[in-house]
Amino acid sequence: MARCFLLKSVSDCSVLNNFEERTVEPTMNQQELLAAVVSTLKSIAPEVEENDLVADQPLRNQVDLDSMDWLNFLIGLHDKLKVDIPESDYARLRTLNDLLDYLRAKVT
């Protein structure tokens, strides 16, 4: 309770504590990160099979995503992983390996 001394009531303190518990997430391992990327990709292109993806080939070409689908995919990653992906970084994110390296650096 000591950290809640500036709040108006005990209920404010419990809301603060619940918020802190929800927003602090453990670091994702490589498999969890891959699963998050694939599930987000499947939400845009349900026909995608993880085993068919080639990690060092352009992802958009492999799953035939147009620019709007790609943008929705990146927004989905932002929403799912709570990472900012500035538009200036979009061109760097071509392959599955590019995405995993970029996101790993952002979530750790």
Side-chain angles (χ1 to χ4, degrees), residues 33 100-108:
L33 194 56
L100 292 173
D101 291 344
Y102 181 87
L103 294 170
R104 188 178 320 107
K106 293 277 191 171
V107 297
T108 57

Side-chain angles (χ1 to χ4, degrees), residues 78-97:
H78 163 78
D79 292 343
K80 183 175 289 235
L81 300 173
K82 308 297 184 231
V83 295
D84 289 326
I85 306 173
E87 190 175 342
S88 59
D89 290 345
Y90 290 0
R92 296 177 16 185
L93 306 175
R94 297 180 32 119
T95 68
L96 186 56
N97 283 341

Side-chain angles (χ1 to χ4, degrees), residues 31 34-35 38-39 42 47-54 96:
Q31 272 310 111
L34 176 61
V38 170
S39 72
K42 283 182 163 233
E47 70 280 2
V48 169
E49 294 295 330
E50 180 179 347
N51 295 334
D52 295 338
L53 297 175
V54 180
L96 186 56

Side-chain angles (χ1 to χ4, degrees), residues 12-107:
D12 289 343
C13 184
S14 62
V15 168
L16 175 66
N17 289 336
N18 288 338
F19 177 76
E20 290 173 349
E21 289 170 12
R22 283 194 321 261
T23 58
V24 176
E25 296 184 21
T27 303
M28 298 179 84
N29 68 34
Q30 182 73 5
Q31 272 310 111
E32 293 168 326
L33 194 56
L34 176 61
V37 168
V38 170
S39 72
T40 304
L41 188 57
K42 283 182 163 233
S43 72
I44 305 298
E47 70 280 2
V48 169
E49 294 295 330
E50 180 179 347
N51 295 334
D52 295 338
L53 297 175
V54 180
D56 62 350
Q57 297 296 314
L59 194 54
R60 280 183 64 182
N61 296 345
Q62 291 183 66
V63 294
D64 197 29
L65 297 180
D66 63 22
S67 58
M68 198 63 181
D69 288 337
W70 186 251
L71 178 60
N72 286 330
F73 169 62
L74 294 176
I75 290 169
L77 288 174
H78 163 78
D79 292 343
K80 183 175 289 235
L81 300 173
K82 308 297 184 231
V83 295
D84 289 326
I85 306 173
E87 190 175 342
S88 59
D89 290 345
Y90 290 0
R92 296 177 16 185
L93 306 175
R94 297 180 32 119
T95 68
L96 186 56
N97 283 341
D98 294 340
L99 276 163
L100 292 173
D101 291 344
Y102 181 87
L103 294 170
R104 188 178 320 107
K106 293 277 191 171
V107 297

